[in-house]
Amino acid sequence: MSDVARLAGVSIKTVSRVVNNEPSVHTETAAKVLAAIERLGFRRNLGARNLRRGSSSGIIGLVLEDVANPFYSGLTRAVEEIARATGRHVLTGSSDEDQDRERELTLEFCARRVDGLIMIPAGERHGYLVPEMQAGTPVVFVDRPAGDIVADTVLVDNIGGAAAAVTHLAAHGHRKIGFLGDAEEIFTARERLRGFREGCGNAGIPFDPRLVAMGPHTQEGITAIVREFVLGPTGATALVSGNNRITVNVVRAIAGLPRRPALVGFDDFELADLLDPPVTVVAHDADALGSAAANLLMARLDGDTSAPKRQTLPVRLVPRGSGETPPP
Amino acid sequence: MSDVARLAGVSIKTVSRVVNNEPSVHTETAAKVLAAIERLGFRRNLGARNLRRGSSSGIIGLVLEDVANPFYSGLTRAVEEIARATGRHVLTGSSDEDQDRERELTLEFCARRVDGLIMIPAGERHGYLVPEMQAGTPVVFVDRPAGDIVADTVLVDNIGGAAAAVTHLAAHGHRKIGFLGDAEEIFTARERLRGFREGCGNAGIPFDPRLVAMGPHTQEGITAIVREFVLGPTGATALVSGNNRITVNVVRAIAGLPRRPALVGFDDFELADLLDPPVTVVAHDADALGSAAANLLMARLDGDTSAPKRQTLPVRLVPRGSGETPPP
DNA sequence: CCGCACGATGACAACGATGTCCAGCACCAG
DNA sequence: CTGGTGCTGGACATCGTTGTCATCGTGCGG
């Protein structure tokens, strides 16, 4: 900046006035300054600026499980859009479902003085966030609630969705329904299992623990379970899968079976409509989750100090065929 | 920090020593300081620290077309991993293929003093980056080259891949092959078209401009073109699609046709193996692109000042069935 | 018993930018 | 000619942190 001032023959302060578009600068002087800026390729240091002005950093921290998962990348995009509308950018980090890594990432973001945090929490303990929140960094939890603190949260109706999946299958005559869910440590997995049980209860289907598998996540593991459910003594005629990745694995597993069970998956995914048969899913919108969270955060940044909110976004069952196969 | 110093009864400099783990602090003093830090929930301001130390910001800027596109989100993840290995984070921004937006994002990132930039460029003009690069911000272009400057670049073998697609189809007896590509403004689209022509030449197939469509990107538009190619006077028996999104649309379009043409898609995508028929693709690895770019960038950050490099990553044809349908 | 090295601590400036406040200057009305 | 007014431009402090250097005991070898 002082280089620019020297080249333009003015003081540093005048340069500052020009880059900040302050009105009280002679047009001619401003032109000289701009020319010098252009010539030297000067760009003001936003970090220093924010430090001096005490203004916010203009960065939102987004901590999620894995940006590469299409579900989260959709959410990321939605957050980015809303951040952009207020002139902010998004710093992303993947926790890989690892509590320590989540914590490390999050605190690092705080040290960078992000304006706010949006988190898909990996762990159950978030006490470490309390000082940050007290210091004024708003935090919004998405998809899963915080472990042991109260904070803004945006969830989807996991229970209702899983129950609806069972209801749908029951309406097509199924009574032996298997559930393949994510690891029980994960909030959404527990909730969806609970919804599954509720759905069974509503449909008058006795809950059979042999038809529940939580946690497998490899193609091999899931194939084995699907075979066991369908071909084993439990004789499942239908399956509910607990998330998009499990669904995909289940679809692959089913393709190799002599008798194909009906299937309803939790989470929508691209091409579900093009598979054979097209996969019926409990859909919910990653965009909507991201937008809701970002909007909540923005409200906090605008000064909303009301009590922490918990939103639950609706899901909808999208019948495409795979859930409508009747039992043999 | 001064609050911590006051509470611990030491000078501000001693606090600094403690948070920086400098050895020459009495254990007892350090303990007092740490207690005060804990008590006040102090976290040092990384921005101020970097300003004072003149050290790098520890942030990599990643400008791409759309984080929500699985192809780019995979790339993002790969970049994140390599950034993490050197203690850095990733600031992402979507340009939506808009040149101005790209420029705005990029310069904003520069003003934040990112350590380096990785860009999937939207436009053809990147002169605006010259001052930044001269100022020492390394820039790596990925997937598409820079418009009018020389810089590190990582590409995939678009020409070879598209030619291989034609060769594959020709080997199965096809002579009337249609090409649906992205808009011609996009580098990869042009390259792939060029590869398509080369492939035709190699196979002794006369190039028919009526069988080329560049730019349509809606389901309706693509469906119309596919119908025209296959059912119209040109009577295409096979199609090559220019990117993952077009492929998906083409698959949908084909599903509604009385006679299904063979298909090879450029870009692999999840579930391609589960469609009916499974889609043969020219695959290349988003991870590999991201890693290569990030590694190049890291080398620059480690002081590599050699001439700009251009890497071309190989592609491979993954036959799954859709390209092996013989012509009727 | 002196001086010296060494460990521990603090005062101060500086990173790059901006807010505050004041001085200079032209211009105009009185 | 004077004082006010409206612009401009500059000196200085400051944001939170760290590098440099100085200070101050204290223990130890000579």
Side-chain angles (χ1 to χ4, degrees):
Chain A
M1 199 146 171
S2 66
D3 294 343
V4 174
R6 203 174 317 120
L7 181 59
V10 299
S11 82
I12 276 189
K13 178 63 201 175
T14 300
V15 178
S16 167
R17 285 205 176 92
V18 172
V19 298
N20 284 295
N21 260 323
E22 287 178 29
S24 65
V25 177
H26 193 83
T27 322
E28 208 170 301
T29 315
K32 269 193 303 187
V33 172
L34 287 173
I37 286 177
E38 183 71 22
R39 181 107 172 276
L40 297 176
F42 166 80
R43 191 162 313 284
R44 82 171 153 211
N45 184 327
L46 271 183
R49 174 177 215 247
N50 293 331
L51 177 60
R52 176 59 180 95
R53 312 220 321 179
S55 50
S56 65
S57 65
I59 295 186
I60 301 289
L62 175 58
V63 179
L64 29 72
E65 191 223 319
D66 180 7
V67 235
N69 182 325
F71 180 74
Y72 296 121
S73 66
L75 189 150
T76 304
R77 183 60 202 269
V79 170
E80 186 192 328
E81 280 316 303
I82 291 179
R84 171 202 306 281
T86 59
R88 282 177 246 256
H89 297 281
V90 181
L91 200 54
T92 53
S94 304
S95 72
D96 271 332
E97 217 61 274
D98 175 334
Q99 196 156 346
D100 295 334
R101 189 154 156 178
E102 170 205 298
R103 182 189 156 116
E104 191 188 317
L105 265 172
T106 308
L107 290 180
E108 186 92 3
F109 285 3
C110 288
R112 292 189 186 284
R113 295 295 186 269
V114 293
D115 293 354
L117 280 167
I118 295 180
M119 313 194 37
I120 288 108
E124 302 268 295
R125 311 200 58 81
H126 296 95
Y128 69 88
L129 276 170
V130 172
E132 314 300 335
M133 293 169 71
Q134 278 171 350
T137 306
V139 181
V140 178
F141 288 80
V142 188
D143 194 42
R144 311 170 191 168
D148 48 5
I149 60 174
V150 183
D152 287 327
T153 309
V154 183
L155 305 173
V156 299
D157 183 9
N158 292 298
I159 297 181
V166 175
T167 305
H168 182 75
L169 291 168
H172 287 87
H174 294 277
R175 311 270 313 158
K176 294 185 172 178
I177 308 176
F179 182 81
L180 289 95
D182 217 328
E184 237 161 329
E185 290 75 46
I186 297 177
F187 171 82
T188 50
R190 289 196 302 275
E191 291 283 287
R192 290 170 192 180
L193 175 57
R194 202 174 128 201
F196 175 76
R197 294 185 70 148
E198 278 189 15
C200 289
N202 296 343
I205 300 174
F207 176 75
D208 182 349
R210 291 174 305 163
L211 281 174
V212 169
M214 304 294 283
H217 58 277
T218 61
Q219 180 65 64
E220 296 68 39
I222 289 172
T223 301
I225 290 165
V226 168
R227 295 185 71 89
E228 169 66 22
F229 282 3
V230 174
L231 305 177
T234 46
T237 63
L239 300 173
V240 173
S241 59
N243 71 32
N244 57 356
R245 280 175 304 188
I246 294 175
T247 305
V248 168
N249 288 322
V250 169
V251 168
R252 286 214 178 83
I254 285 178
L257 289 183
R259 180 158 53 75
R260 293 193 182 187
L263 170 65
V264 177
F266 209 111
D267 296 336
D268 201 359
F269 58 98
E270 194 170 15
L271 299 182
D273 60 320
L274 281 183
L275 297 183
D276 177 31
V279 179
T280 296
V281 297
V282 175
H284 57 107
D285 209 347
D287 289 19
L289 262 184
S291 305
N295 282 327
L296 252 177
L297 192 69
M298 294 307 157
R300 295 299 181 192
L301 291 174
D302 285 348
D304 177 356
T305 55
S306 56
K309 296 178 168 61
R310 175 182 282 230
Q311 292 180 13
T312 302
L313 301 187
V315 300
R316 64 182 199 290
L317 193 128
V318 181
R320 296 207 176 100
S322 74
E324 295 160 36
T325 326
Chain B
M1 200 148 173
S2 66
D3 293 343
V4 174
R6 203 173 317 120
L7 181 60
V10 298
S11 83
I12 202 176
K13 177 66 204 182
T14 299
V15 178
S16 166
R17 288 203 174 89
V18 173
V19 298
N20 284 295
N21 259 322
E22 287 178 28
S24 69
V25 178
H26 195 84
T27 323
E28 209 170 300
T29 316
K32 271 192 305 188
V33 171
L34 287 173
I37 286 177
E38 183 70 22
R39 179 107 174 275
L40 297 176
F42 166 80
R43 191 164 312 285
R44 83 172 154 210
N45 183 328
L46 271 185
R49 174 176 215 247
N50 294 331
L51 176 60
R52 177 59 181 97
R53 311 222 319 178
S55 51
S56 65
S57 64
I59 294 186
I60 302 288
L62 175 59
V63 179
L64 30 71
E65 190 222 320
D66 180 8
V67 233
N69 182 326
F71 180 74
Y72 296 121
S73 65
L75 190 150
T76 303
R77 182 59 202 269
V79 171
E80 186 193 329
E81 279 316 303
I82 291 178
R84 170 201 307 279
T86 58
R88 283 178 245 257
H89 297 278
V90 181
L91 199 55
T92 53
S94 304
S95 72
D96 272 331
E97 215 63 270
D98 175 335
Q99 196 156 347
D100 296 335
R101 190 155 155 177
E102 170 205 298
R103 184 190 153 115
E104 191 188 317
L105 264 172
T106 307
L107 290 180
E108 186 92 5
F109 285 2
C110 288
R112 293 188 185 286
R113 295 295 185 271
V114 292
D115 293 353
L117 280 167
I118 295 180
M119 313 196 35
I120 288 109
E124 302 270 293
R125 311 199 59 78
H126 297 95
Y128 68 89
L129 276 171
V130 172
E132 314 299 336
M133 292 168 72
Q134 278 173 349
T137 307
V139 181
V140 178
F141 288 80
V142 187
D143 194 43
R144 311 171 191 168
D148 48 4
I149 60 175
V150 183
D152 287 326
T153 310
V154 182
L155 304 173
V156 300
D157 183 8
N158 293 298
I159 297 181
V166 175
T167 306
H168 182 75
L169 292 168
H172 288 87
H174 295 277
R175 312 268 315 156
K176 296 188 170 176
I177 307 176
F179 182 82
L180 289 93
D182 218 328
E184 237 160 330
E185 290 75 46
I186 298 177
F187 171 81
T188 49
R190 289 197 301 275
E191 291 282 287
R192 291 170 192 180
L193 174 57
R194 202 174 127 203
F196 175 77
R197 295 185 70 149
E198 278 189 14
C200 289
N202 296 344
I205 299 174
F207 176 76
D208 182 350
R210 291 175 306 163
L211 280 173
V212 169
M214 304 294 281
H217 57 277
T218 61
Q219 181 64 64
E220 296 70 37
I222 288 172
T223 301
I225 290 165
V226 168
R227 295 185 72 88
E228 170 67 20
F229 281 4
V230 175
L231 306 178
T234 46
T237 63
L239 301 173
V240 173
S241 58
N243 71 32
N244 57 355
R245 279 174 306 188
I246 294 176
T247 305
V248 169
N249 289 322
V250 169
V251 169
R252 288 213 176 84
I254 285 178
L257 289 182
R259 182 159 51 76
R260 295 191 180 187
L263 170 67
V264 177
F266 209 111
D267 297 335
D268 201 358
F269 56 98
E270 193 169 17
L271 298 182
D273 60 320
L274 281 182
L275 297 183
D276 178 30
V279 179
T280 296
V281 298
V282 176
H284 57 106
D285 209 347
D287 289 19
L289 263 184
S291 305
N295 282 326
L296 253 177
L297 192 69
M298 294 307 157
R300 295 301 181 189
L301 291 174
D302 286 347
D304 177 355
T305 54
S306 56
K309 296 179 169 58
R310 174 181 283 229
Q311 292 181 13
T312 301
L313 302 187
V315 300
R316 66 182 197 289
L317 192 127
V318 180
R320 295 206 176 101
S322 74
E324 296 160 36
T325 326

